[in-house]
Amino acid sequence: MSYTVLIPARLASSRLPNKPLADIAGLPMVVRVAHRVAQGLPAGSRIVVAADDASILQACARHGVQALLTRVDHPSGSDRLAEACELLKLPADAIVVNVQGDEPLIDPSLVSAVATLLHQRPEASMSTAAHPLHEVADFVNPNVVKVVVDARSLALYFSRAPIAWWRDGYAHGVTTLAQPAPLRHIGIYAYRAGFLRQFPTLAQAPIEVCEELEQLRAMWHGHRIAVHLSQQAPGAGVDTPEDLERVRRLFQA
C-alpha cells in the first residue's frame, strides 16, 4: 500500500513567526518534519509540502523535499490540503495523510499506522489516532481533546470535555480517572482524497462550532472516523519559542 503525506506549511504564525523556516540543527523545521516522516515511508509513497509562500518552496527545494504553492487565503488547513489534492490530481480513492509542519518529533510508524488503518476500513472516510490518558490534569484540560470509540474502533464523539464520564464522577471531586482509561486524541489524520476535496464544501456543524473541533463536521454529516489506538503519547509539537528551543536542544543532543 502506498499513500501521499501532505505537510501544510503556513508562514504566518502569531506565536512563532516564520515557523516552517525555523532552524533546527541546521535544517528548516518543515524539512525536519519531512525527513522524519520519510524514515517510515513505504515504497511508492511520497511526501509533499503544501506551502503558502515561495520562501518555503525554496527551502524545501534546497533539501530535496517536494513542495507546491497553495493559496495564501485558505481559512483552514483542510482547505489547503484539498487544493493540494487538486494540484496533484490525486484519484478519489488515494489515501492522504495530513502531518502538521510543526511536528519534527513525530513517530514515522504513527503515520504509517493511520494510513494502513484507513486502507483496511472502507466504511471510514478518515482515520486518526489516540492513546490512553494517565493524568487527571490532562483529562479535565479543555486543550486536551478526548475521543470515545465503539467496539470497532470507530469514533463516537470527540470533545474538550472529560469523556467518557462515570455516574459518580463528581461525588468526591475529579481526583481519579474513569476506567477503562479515557483516550486522548492525537491530531494526525488520513483521508480518502475524494472526501478531502468534499470536506471544505460541507456546512459547519453546530457541535463543531461549539467544541471548535473540525473533525466533528465530518461526523455530523454522517462520515465515519477510524481510530488507531497507540500506547504511547506522540512527541510534542512546536507552537512557541520555548517549544522551539526545547526541540533544538533535543536535536543537538
Side-chain angles (χ1 to χ4, degrees), residues 173-243:
V174 187
T175 59
T176 186
L177 292 175
Q179 294 298 324
L183 298 175
R184 177 180 187 166
H185 177 230
I186 301 171
I188 183 172
Y189 298 98
Y191 307 83
R192 303 190 194 283
F195 170 71
L196 186 51
R197 290 191 186 95
Q198 178 192 7
F199 184 79
T201 71
L202 298 176
Q204 277 196 308
I207 54 174
E208 170 195 0
V209 175
C210 176
E211 296 260 17
E212 295 188 19
L213 297 174
E214 198 176 60
Q215 64 269 36
L216 291 175
R217 185 189 315 179
M219 297 183 66
W220 194 76
H221 285 279
H223 293 274
R224 306 306 305 270
I225 303 176
V227 182
H228 166 71
L229 299 181
S230 170
Q231 292 306 308
Q232 296 183 337
V238 177
D239 294 316
T240 66
E242 293 75 19
D243 293 337

Side-chain angles (χ1 to χ4, degrees), residues 98-134:
N98 174 18
V99 174
Q100 296 303 316
D102 58 4
E103 297 189 13
L105 300 177
I106 190 167
D107 183 354
S109 67
L110 185 62
V111 179
S112 177
V114 295
T116 300
L117 179 62
L118 185 58
H119 176 72
Q120 295 171 341
R121 305 300 292 273
E123 73 275 28
S125 300
M126 300 170 54
S127 64
T128 188
H131 70 87
L133 274 172
H134 301 293

